[in-house]
């Protein structure tokens, strides 16, 4: 298999004054994944290109962003909020041993082996938090909310009849939307210069 991911991004940090700072970032990604089967000629990685099967390809691209705002009422204390988007390509290519369902719950069958079967996973995340820093301790606390679209999950196995025979197939589905939220809290203590003690907890609700 081969994959290529090219990205270009711009980011800027803006300092309005000693109390307010902002960050803006945008990124464009172009993704290409290819796989094929063939015979290895030397027991390692060498192969005859004319002997491999047709390349299966997945090509996709996306623009994502990130924006954040920080407020520092005093130098030791910072309060922030951020919003970001993301995408995750799927390397799924058509297989006759799999049954596919789209995000609307409808079964579909790609017309030919190769090409993009599932749309990329996309989503947004919102986060807010606070950080307090002193010479001998740090305290961090944050909450977040995440929403994902086009999540692919395996439902299970299904036996179907093909050409008079019973064939077991894997069932995959692309979920329309999932959501999760949670919080994180951690404390770092530095009682002496060569000792650091860390304690934390977190919770996620899917």
């Amino acid at each position: 298999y081969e994959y290529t991911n090219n990205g270009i991004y711009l980011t800027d940090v803006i300092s309005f004054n000693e109390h307010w700072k902002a960050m803006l970032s945008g990124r464009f990604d172009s993704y290409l994944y290819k796989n094929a089967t063939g015979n290895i000629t030397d027991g390692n990685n060498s192969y005859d290109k004319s002997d491999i099967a047709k390349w299966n390809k997945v090509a996709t691209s996306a623009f994502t962003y990130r924006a954040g705002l920080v407020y520092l009422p005093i130098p030791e204390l910072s309060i922030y909020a951020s919003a970001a988007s993301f995408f995750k390509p799927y390397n799924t290519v058509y297989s006759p041993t799999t049954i596919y369902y789209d995000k609307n719950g409808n079964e579909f069958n790609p017309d030919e082996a190769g090409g993009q079967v599932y749309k990329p996973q996309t989503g947004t995340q919102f986060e807010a938090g606070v950080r307090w820093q002193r010479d001998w301790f740090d305290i961090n606390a944050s909450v977040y909310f995440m929403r994902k679209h086009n999540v692919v999950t395996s439902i299970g196995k299904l036996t179907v009849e093909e050409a008079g025979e019973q064939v077991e197939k894997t069932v995959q589905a692309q979920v329309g939307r999932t959501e999760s939220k949670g919080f994180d809290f951690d404390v770092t203590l530095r009682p002496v210069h060569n000792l650091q003690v860390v304690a934390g907890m977190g919770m996620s609700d899917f």
Side-chain angles (χ1 to χ4, degrees), residues 79 89 108 141 163:
I79 304 169
F108 70 96

Side-chain angles (χ1 to χ4, degrees), residues 35-52:
N35 73 358
T37 58
N39 296 320
I40 302 299
T41 58
D42 62 357
N44 293 308
N45 295 322
S46 299
Y47 59 91
D48 185 353
K49 290 186 176 181
S50 63
D51 189 43
I52 66 173

Side-chain angles (χ1 to χ4, degrees), residues 17-21 70-79:
N17 52 48
E18 62 181 6
H19 297 296
W20 291 95
K21 302 179 186 296
V70 180
Y71 172 58
L72 298 94
I74 58 176
E76 296 85 0
L77 180 65
S78 59
I79 304 169

Side-chain angles (χ1 to χ4, degrees), residues 81-158:
S82 67
S85 65
F86 63 89
F87 97 113
K88 173 187 175 182
Y90 290 109
N91 295 335
T92 306
V93 293
Y94 172 69
S95 169
T97 62
T98 302
I99 299 174
Y100 302 97
Y101 285 87
D102 62 22
K103 64 181 181 181
N104 297 316
N106 300 318
E107 181 180 349
F108 70 96
N109 187 10
D111 292 332
E112 58 185 32
Q116 185 179 17
V117 175
Y118 287 120
K119 294 181 179 180
Q121 180 186 134
T122 61
T124 53
Q125 178 174 334
F126 303 94
E127 184 176 345
V130 60
R131 184 175 189 181
W132 189 16
Q133 295 178 288
R134 299 298 297 269
D135 293 337
W136 60 278
F137 72 86
D138 295 344
I139 297 177
N140 296 279
S142 64
V143 295
Y144 75 89
F145 173 81
M146 183 184 299
R147 176 174 291 163
K148 297 180 181 180
H149 300 269
N150 300 329
V151 178
V152 173
T153 183
S154 178
I155 296 178
K157 302 286 186 177
L158 181 66

Side-chain angles (χ1 to χ4, degrees), residues 3 6 21 33 45 58 78 100 104 134 161 171 206:
Y3 72 90
N6 295 310
K21 302 179 186 296
Y33 171 83
N45 295 322
V58 174
S78 59
Y100 302 97
N104 297 316
R134 299 298 297 269
E161 184 175 342
V171 182
F206 295 92

